[in-house]
């Protein structure tokens, strides 16, 4: 992972020393770049592996703090920058756990909380730990002092916490495995991701807990689109899940890309995960993002608590997590992910993309590097130091973290920590065949997620810039979609696709599905249900209706006037006029009901309609797969629905009647005139021959499964390249 230090300096390049190409049009830039490269290479060549005599480290005893004689086996370590939060005040009441609050330069000098131990900067400096010399004054990474203090005072388990995370039911043992051995341990097998695909090195655990469109901070963006659930799991014996990552309700651990593309304003996130889903373990060779606000470390993994200091604060715990997971395999341990353990409240604070840039640029390369890394050292601490050295050489962090690692290991020994013994690593052995009896099935729920949105200043890339532009244009427009196909396979995907652009996506179907927030509606008379939705989103600029057999190329709708009506009146195959004399009895009945409604219309609506339809024997038909109603026409639309009442007027008749009554066709926006419209699906949908990224919309298009949705996303990426991150 390419990182930046706090002064913004570039990291040392990888050992291949592949240097960037200078700008050919600037001799000054070239000279400066060559000078910088020379300095960087010299700095890299000067990196040396620290020599530590682990057997001659002098003990460090607490002789200065008021807690010198205090001991506890279970600690909560939290960084505090402001006065005690409500969540922290509840946390001190968790039975059997001692809260340790770590201050920094932003922490109020008079900080105090009954039941908590508080270590100010001055107290931290007096403890005699080597790591203090390497820590920034204003950062949560000072928690490293807290970890050492807790170990020094008898810790066997450490809950790495955040002061805005409220522990669910104030009971850490309800979901976490606080005890791994002895009477209190749960003697049970744990579901484990299968190792049948050796090339799969990273997973998104949120899928397992019901949120496929949400991903954790630190997941490579190229893996965001892997939204399918597991074909099957295996099992592993419990007892060595030395690192336990909890899932957070409310504001989960998400990155800035997710945060900004799902935010439409000042509303707070309140994302929920499946609390009944079983915990799930990671086999050797497979990793998961870890964080520093909802994770339990058992004593065998205390060495993995070290927070890097040369990377941004938003990357520090993620980098630590991958580094620690790789080393955890050396002692036969593994990571397990648990159902919701905390509710973390969204403070709607700045969430700068720049602080995570080192994550997004090269986290995939880091994972591949760690999985392939091997060491022939015979003690764990020697392996830890060696890996930190190689990571500095490769540019994943700087020499500053190599020196910090050396100080950290010495401090661990000084406070009495015993390094765990190594176990045989199985990565290079042939993988065992997974028999039918070894396969365990669990089908995750598909819980309601959040719409995607964009509200950020600045442009991080041209693609994200486009997304911001689209979002600003349609961020207050509600998309109403009717799904003809099985919503269980597509509802979440449609929200994932269109929710990035619109205020929200309301999905209707012939059958209600509460789990997916899908309401029941009958397509033949769906217009009668629209007033209820209009009322629900009373502040929206407008409402765009689309059926799921029509693809919406939103990037081609920017030029449309959102104050005008949009419909397919200029698409000949969609919009037509028939006479009742030439057609069936159904046409006659529909025309009679239309005339009855027209006769009761208010004057402005009736005049508009009769200006266009001069013959009462004619009937305007529109397939009505897509149309748009702006806010100032909503009242007229609702009035027309009320005029229809219980009359059995079909959707394809009612909608064009409404549009011709609300305004003259010459005032309709013509944006949908570019729509690609065919009567029937092509003989094979594999050719995708009728799709055009230049059209406003494409009809028909069949999407009834995740596989078909992925194909659609890939072809739509011609107009929106960011979609490739979803597949």
């Amino acid at each position: 992972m390419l990182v930046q230090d706090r002064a913004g300096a570039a990291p040392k390049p990888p050992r291949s020393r592949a240097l960037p190409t200078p700008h050919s049009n600037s001799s000054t830039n070239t000279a400066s770049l060559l000078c910088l490269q020379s300095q960087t290479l010299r700095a890299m060549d000067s990196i040396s592996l620290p020599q530590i005599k682990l057997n001659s480290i002098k003990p460090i005893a607490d002789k200065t703090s008021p807690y010198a004689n205090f001991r506890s086996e279970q600690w909560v370590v939290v960084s505090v920058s402001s006065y005690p939060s409500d969540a922290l005040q509840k946390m001190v009441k968790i039975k059997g756990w001692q809260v340790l609050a770590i201050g920094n330069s932003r922490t109020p000098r008079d900080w105090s909380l009954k039941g908590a131990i508080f270590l100010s900067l001055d107290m931290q400096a007096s403890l005699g730990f080597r790591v203090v010399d390497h820590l920034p004054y204003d950062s949560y990474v000072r928690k490293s002092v807290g970890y050492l203090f807790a170990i020094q005072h008898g810790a066997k388990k450490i809950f790495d916490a955040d002061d805005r995370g409220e522990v669910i039911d104030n009971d850490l043992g309800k979901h976490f495995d606080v005890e791994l051995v002895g009477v209190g341990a749960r003697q049970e097998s744990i579901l484990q991701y299968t190792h049948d695909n050796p090339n799969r090195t990273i997973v998104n655990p949120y899928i397992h807990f019901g949120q496929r469109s949400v991903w954790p901070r630190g997941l490579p963006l190229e893996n965001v689109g892997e939204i399918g659930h597991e074909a099957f799991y295996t099992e592993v014996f419990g007892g060595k899940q030395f690192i336990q990552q909890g899932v957070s309700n409310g504001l989960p651990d998400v990155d800035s890309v997710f945060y900004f593309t799902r935010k439409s304003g000042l509303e707070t996130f309140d994302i929920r995960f499946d609390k009944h889903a079983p915990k799930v373990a990671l086999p050797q060779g497979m990793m998961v993002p870890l964080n520093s606000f909802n994770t339990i470390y058992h004593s065998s993994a205390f060495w993995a608590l070290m927070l890097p200091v040369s990377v941004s604060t938003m990357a520090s715990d993620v980098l630590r997590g991958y580094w620690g997971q790789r080393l955890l395999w050396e002692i036969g341990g593994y990571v397990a992910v648990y159902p919701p353990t905390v509710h973390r409240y969204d403070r709607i604070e700045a969430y700068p993309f720049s602080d995570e840039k080192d994550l997004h640029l090269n986290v995939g390369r880091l994972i591949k590097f760690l999985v392939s890394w091997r060491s022939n050292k015979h003690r764990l601490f020697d392996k830890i130091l060696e890996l930190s050295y190689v990571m500095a050489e490769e540019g994943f962090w700087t020499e500053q973290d190599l020196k910090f690692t050396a100080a950290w290991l010495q401090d661990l020994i000084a406070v009495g920590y015993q390094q765990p013994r190594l176990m045989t690593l199985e990565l290079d052995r042939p993988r065992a065949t997974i028999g039918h009896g070894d396969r365990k099935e669990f089908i995750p729920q598909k819980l309601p997620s959040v719409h995607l949105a964009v509200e950020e200043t600045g442009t991080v890339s041209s693609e994200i810039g486009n997304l911001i532009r689209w979002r600003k244009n349609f961020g207050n427009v509600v998309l109403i979609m009717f799904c003809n196909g099985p919503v269980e396979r597509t509802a979440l995907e449609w929200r994932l696709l269109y929710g990035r652009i619109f205020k929200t996506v309301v999905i209707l179907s012939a059958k209600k599905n509460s789990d997916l927030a899908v309401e029941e509606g009958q397509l033949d008379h769906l217009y009668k249900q629209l007033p209820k939705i209009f009322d629900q989103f009373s502040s929206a600029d407008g409402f765009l209706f689309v059926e799921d057999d029509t693809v919406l190329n939103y990037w081609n709708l920017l030029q449309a006037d959102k104050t005008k009506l949009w419909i397919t009146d200029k698409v000949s195959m969609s919009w037509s006029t028939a006479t009742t004399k030439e057609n069936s009895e159904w046409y006659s009945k529909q025309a009679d009901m239309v005339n009855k409604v027209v006769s009761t219309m208010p004057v402005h609506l009736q005049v508009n309609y009769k200006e266009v339809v001069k013959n009462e024997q004619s009937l305007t038909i529109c397939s009505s797969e897509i149309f748009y109603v702006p806010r100032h026409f909503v009242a007229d639309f609702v009035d027309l629905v009320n005029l229809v009442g219980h009359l059995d007027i079909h959707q394809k008749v009612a909608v064009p009647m409404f549009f011709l009554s609300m305004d003259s066709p010459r005032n309709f926006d013509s944006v949908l005139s570019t729509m690609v419209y065919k009567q029937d699906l092509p003989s094979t949908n594999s050719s995708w021959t009728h799709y055009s990224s230049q059209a406003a919309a494409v009809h028909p298009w069949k999407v009834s499964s995740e596989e078909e949705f992925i194909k659609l996303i890939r072809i739509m990426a011609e107009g929106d390249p960011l979609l490739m991150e979803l597949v």
Side-chain angles (χ1 to χ4, degrees):
M1 179 182 300
L2 296 178
V3 299
Q4 290 184 326
D5 63 23
R6 298 181 184 281
K12 300 171 180 63
R15 275 188 283 186
S16 63
R17 302 187 184 180
L19 301 176
T21 303
H23 296 291
S24 59
N25 62 346
S26 174
S27 59
T28 302
N29 287 347
T30 302
S32 300
L33 181 60
L34 291 174
C35 180
L36 175 62
Q37 291 169 355
S38 176
Q39 293 172 355
T40 304
L41 291 176
R42 285 199 302 271
M44 188 187 75
D45 290 337
S46 67
I47 294 179
S48 59
L49 181 67
Q51 300 300 315
I52 304 175
K53 295 182 179 179
L54 297 177
N55 296 325
S56 59
I57 305 296
K58 292 182 179 181
I60 298 177
D62 181 3
K63 298 178 180 179
T64 60
S65 80
Y67 316 103
N69 297 320
F70 178 79
R71 295 290 183 275
S72 177
E73 292 191 354
Q74 300 180 154
W75 291 73
V76 177
V77 179
V78 59
S79 173
V80 292
S81 298
S82 56
Y83 289 109
S85 63
D86 292 341
L88 193 56
Q89 293 181 53
K90 294 179 181 178
M91 211 176 293
V92 296
K93 298 178 181 179
I94 299 178
K95 187 177 180 180
W97 289 81
Q98 176 59 52
V99 171
L100 175 61
I102 308 301
N104 57 60
S105 60
R106 294 173 291 161
T107 310
R109 289 185 175 274
D110 60 344
W111 196 99
S112 66
L113 176 62
K114 184 179 179 180
I117 294 175
F118 173 60
L119 296 183
S120 65
L121 285 176
D122 290 340
M123 289 184 67
Q124 294 171 39
S126 69
L127 294 173
F129 298 145
R130 296 169 179 83
V131 297
V132 173
D133 295 336
H134 302 270
L135 296 171
Y137 286 105
D138 63 345
S139 172
Y140 82 92
V141 301
R142 298 193 71 86
K143 290 172 81 174
S144 292
V145 175
Y147 306 141
L148 290 169
F149 184 89
I151 296 168
Q152 185 184 53
H153 290 77
K156 301 298 181 186
K157 304 108 184 176
I158 293 177
F159 177 48
D160 208 9
D162 178 77
D163 67 348
R164 58 175 161 172
E166 188 173 301
V167 176
I168 295 174
D169 298 325
N170 234 31
D171 183 2
L172 284 171
K174 187 169 184 178
H175 291 297
F176 282 126
D177 289 319
V178 175
E179 301 297 336
L180 296 182
V181 295
V183 178
R186 298 188 180 110
Q187 303 297 327
E188 59 184 8
S189 297
I190 302 175
L191 280 188
Q192 179 179 253
Y193 287 102
T194 175
H195 61 254
D196 66 323
N197 181 3
N199 296 319
R200 190 185 187 198
T201 57
I202 183 72
V203 296
N204 178 0
Y206 292 172
I207 298 172
H208 179 84
F209 296 100
Q211 290 288 2
R212 298 192 304 163
S213 68
V214 186
W215 65 89
R217 176 173 52 96
L219 186 78
L221 290 182
E222 59 264 32
N223 296 102
V224 166
E226 297 172 3
I227 60 176
H229 66 76
E230 303 301 300
F232 63 90
Y233 297 78
T234 55
E235 284 185 331
V236 64
F237 289 114
K240 291 192 175 183
Q241 60 272 39
F242 299 144
I243 300 178
Q244 302 173 13
Q245 175 66 70
V247 173
S248 172
N249 280 337
L251 175 63
D253 184 26
V254 294
D255 60 28
S256 58
V257 173
F258 179 93
Y259 195 83
F260 282 129
T261 57
R262 304 290 177 103
K263 279 280 184 182
S264 63
L266 295 179
E267 80 282 4
T268 58
F269 278 136
D270 188 13
I271 301 171
R272 301 303 176 105
F273 293 87
D274 182 7
K275 64 181 180 180
H276 301 296
K279 59 195 171 191
V280 60
L282 282 296
Q284 287 186 2
M286 192 177 294
M287 294 186 174
V288 68
L290 301 178
N291 61 53
S292 62
F293 66 77
N294 186 21
T295 315
I296 281 185
Y297 284 75
H298 284 260
S299 58
S300 293
F302 279 172
W303 48 266
L305 282 161
M306 181 192 81
L307 285 164
V309 295
S310 69
V311 300
S312 69
T313 55
M314 298 302 293
S316 181
D317 56 344
V318 172
L319 191 61
R320 174 187 75 173
Y322 287 132
W323 169 84
Q325 282 178 86
R326 175 59 188 85
L327 291 162
L328 192 64
W329 302 340
E330 302 286 342
I331 61 172
Y334 56 85
V335 170
V337 186
Y338 290 70
T341 52
V342 303
H343 187 107
R344 188 165 171 256
Y345 293 93
D346 184 5
R347 293 174 178 168
I348 323 177
E349 295 175 341
Y351 211 79
F353 179 89
S354 59
D355 282 2
E356 292 180 356
K357 192 173 182 180
D358 44 356
L359 286 181
H360 301 305
L361 284 178
N362 218 20
V363 67
R365 185 174 76 88
L366 170 67
I367 295 167
K368 292 177 182 177
F369 163 78
L370 289 172
V371 171
S372 63
W373 176 77
R374 299 291 183 272
S375 170
N376 58 8
K377 299 293 184 181
H378 300 295
R379 293 189 301 182
L380 177 63
F381 280 15
D382 291 333
K383 287 180 179 285
I384 292 174
L385 194 60
E386 181 185 40
L387 179 56
S388 293
Y389 171 73
V390 178
M391 286 179 63
E393 280 196 315
E394 293 288 338
F396 294 117
W397 56 32
T398 73
E399 187 179 10
Q400 184 182 2
D401 274 311
L402 174 59
K403 294 177 179 178
F404 184 55
T405 303
W408 169 256
L409 295 177
Q410 292 177 83
D411 282 342
L412 280 175
I413 293 174
V415 297
Y417 183 72
Q418 300 291 323
Q419 60 177 311
R421 293 182 178 181
L422 298 176
M423 300 285 287
T424 303
L425 198 64
E426 299 179 354
L427 283 177
D428 296 319
R429 294 184 179 182
R431 295 178 181 265
T433 303
I434 300 173
H436 181 74
D438 299 321
R439 301 186 177 199
K440 306 298 177 182
E441 186 176 88
F442 170 72
I443 307 298
Q445 290 194 49
K446 294 182 180 179
L447 299 179
S449 191
V450 295
H451 64 274
L452 294 90
V454 171
E455 183 107 353
E456 186 187 23
T457 57
T459 303
V460 294
S461 71
S462 59
E463 290 84 5
I464 293 181
N466 282 333
L467 193 61
I468 293 172
R469 193 158 53 95
W470 300 332
R471 176 63 198 183
K472 285 184 176 179
N473 192 70
F474 295 110
N476 203 31
V477 172
V478 173
L479 182 70
I480 304 169
M481 170 172 276
F482 184 86
C483 282
N484 294 281
V487 293
E488 296 80 9
R489 299 178 182 177
T490 59
L492 184 62
E493 286 81 355
W494 287 123
R495 287 196 174 100
L496 180 65
L497 171 61
Y498 291 132
R500 300 158 63 247
I501 309 301
F502 296 92
K503 178 182 181 69
T504 192
V505 178
V506 177
I507 296 183
L508 303 164
S509 180
K511 186 176 181 182
K512 182 176 181 178
N513 188 317
S514 299
D515 291 337
L516 296 175
V518 174
E519 294 297 323
E520 182 179 356
Q522 299 302 320
L523 182 59
D524 290 353
H525 303 94
L526 200 66
Y527 64 92
K528 294 184 178 182
Q529 199 165 339
L530 297 185
K532 180 181 177 182
I533 299 174
F534 295 166
D535 185 62
Q536 183 180 355
F537 298 96
S538 58
S539 63
D541 292 338
F543 300 84
L544 180 59
F545 175 85
V546 64
E547 286 187 49
D548 65 344
D549 62 354
T550 300
V551 176
L552 192 64
N553 289 342
Y554 41 83
W555 52 88
N556 292 323
L557 300 178
L558 288 179
Q559 73 274 21
D561 188 339
K562 298 201 299 290
T563 66
K564 293 184 176 182
L565 295 165
W566 313 347
I567 199 166
T568 54
D569 61 309
K570 294 179 176 61
V571 181
S572 59
M573 291 186 181
S574 172
W575 183 286
S576 61
T577 300
T579 60
T580 57
K581 294 180 179 179
E582 300 171 351
N583 289 280
S584 66
E585 182 182 356
W586 181 88
Y587 281 80
S588 297
K589 289 183 177 180
Q590 290 290 312
D592 289 341
M593 289 185 287
V594 166
N595 291 331
K596 183 176 181 180
V597 171
V598 171
S599 67
T600 61
M601 285 181 182
V603 60
H604 67 288
L605 298 176
Q606 189 176 129
V607 167
N608 285 337
Y609 182 83
K610 290 185 175 180
E611 180 183 356
V612 179
V613 183
K614 303 182 184 300
N615 184 357
E616 292 186 354
Q617 301 301 314
S618 67
L619 187 67
T620 303
I621 305 291
C622 178
S623 54
S624 304
E625 290 93 356
I626 179 172
F627 56 85
Y628 171 77
V629 180
R631 163 57 55 191
H632 67 97
F633 280 112
V634 164
D636 285 342
F637 193 103
V638 173
D639 288 342
L640 288 164
V641 171
N642 291 334
L643 289 177
V644 171
H646 297 293
L647 294 176
D648 189 22
I649 300 181
H650 196 278
Q651 168 104 343
K652 295 182 178 181
V653 175
V655 170
M657 176 183 68
F658 289 0
F659 271 65
L660 295 177
S661 303
M662 290 188 291
D663 203 0
S664 170
R666 62 176 175 268
N667 295 327
F668 294 173
D669 194 284
S670 61
V671 66
L672 297 180
S673 63
T674 62
M675 179 178 180
V676 173
Y677 194 100
K678 296 181 179 296
Q679 292 287 6
D680 301 305
L681 281 168
S683 57
T684 173
N685 215 28
S686 61
S687 63
W688 315 103
T689 54
H690 69 300
Y691 179 82
S692 170
S693 64
Q694 307 303 314
V698 178
H699 172 86
W701 205 273
K702 179 183 178 183
V703 177
S704 59
S705 67
E706 294 172 5
E707 181 180 2
E708 291 174 344
F709 182 83
I710 290 172
K711 290 179 179 179
L712 172 62
I713 287 292
R714 286 174 176 160
I715 198 167
M716 288 181 69
E718 182 180 349
D720 181 1
L722 271 181
L723 289 176
M724 288 306 295
E725 293 181 3
L726 303 180
V727 296

